[in-house]
Amino acid sequence: MREVGSPVIVLAAGGLDALLKWESVQPQLAALTRVCSFDAPGFGWSERAKVVSFRQTAIDLHTALHNALVDGPYVSVGHSNGGLVAQAFIHLYRDQVVGVVFDDSVSPKESVQFPKRFETSSLVRGFGKLAVRMGLLKQICKETAACPDCGKFIDTLTQLSAHYKEAEAAVPNEDPYGDIPLFVLEHDPSAGLSGERDEAFEKAWIEWQKELAARSTNSKLEVVSGVGHEIQTVKPALVVDAVQWVLARAKEGTRKNSDDSRRFTKRTVTKSA
């Protein structure tokens, strides 16, 4: 966390990740302004989660910022499931948010349109919990800094199915952001979300990213050619560029009457070097 600078960049990692996922991005952002990343309750070095929900995680994040005397305004950045945390944060604290970056963010519609993906995830989490009890994951957890307490981690995962199911209620799909600067980064559909291709899911993902971009009249959407879901790890400079795009508009007061302010109309493809 950098000690000075405004607005404050707040980084929310994906649902299964700890703040270390931002290690290639955060130092570069810290050269621009104050930046904070956090572990959601139940992940990384945070305490066990009492309640698992995107709304509660957003509230916990805001409370942590307040307790650390990190006042807004904020630029909210969310990757994957962390995008749902960012969406809940914006919904709850709209007057404190001056910019948004969605790094291949999950949509609230996912659990409704593709419920079987979460049924499969439940089975995997159940196996993971059994493996923890048997001690099979102990060595892995010792060697993985992002998972210092494997039991806590798996306990949180077992609650995630309900966590996803409440996302649509906690984060309204039709949640306009006005002219808040908004940048959406989207993985290459040909690369797949995690190296696997699901044609129907990829088509839905494309529409979800368009819908996210359309929440603001001052938005930009870029598809990162050749890169899958982990954009901030594979191409961290693109995330930094996206944040800079948002910061420039937030700092310069160009949110209104800007030549670049427009209703989102098309997807831009950024070629990966």
Side-chain angles (χ1 to χ4, degrees), residues 137-182:
L137 298 184
K138 186 178 294 185
Q139 189 59 38
I140 295 176
C141 286
K142 285 182 178 179
E143 296 175 357
T144 306
C147 183
D149 183 343
C150 224
K152 174 188 69 177
F153 178 72
I154 296 298
D155 282 346
T156 305
L157 289 186
T158 59
Q159 302 178 58
L160 273 180
S161 291
H163 190 36
Y164 283 109
K165 290 174 183 177
E166 62 84 35
E168 193 168 34
V171 185
N173 286 311
E174 302 300 327
D175 193 17
Y177 297 164
D179 59 356
I180 291 177
L182 166 63

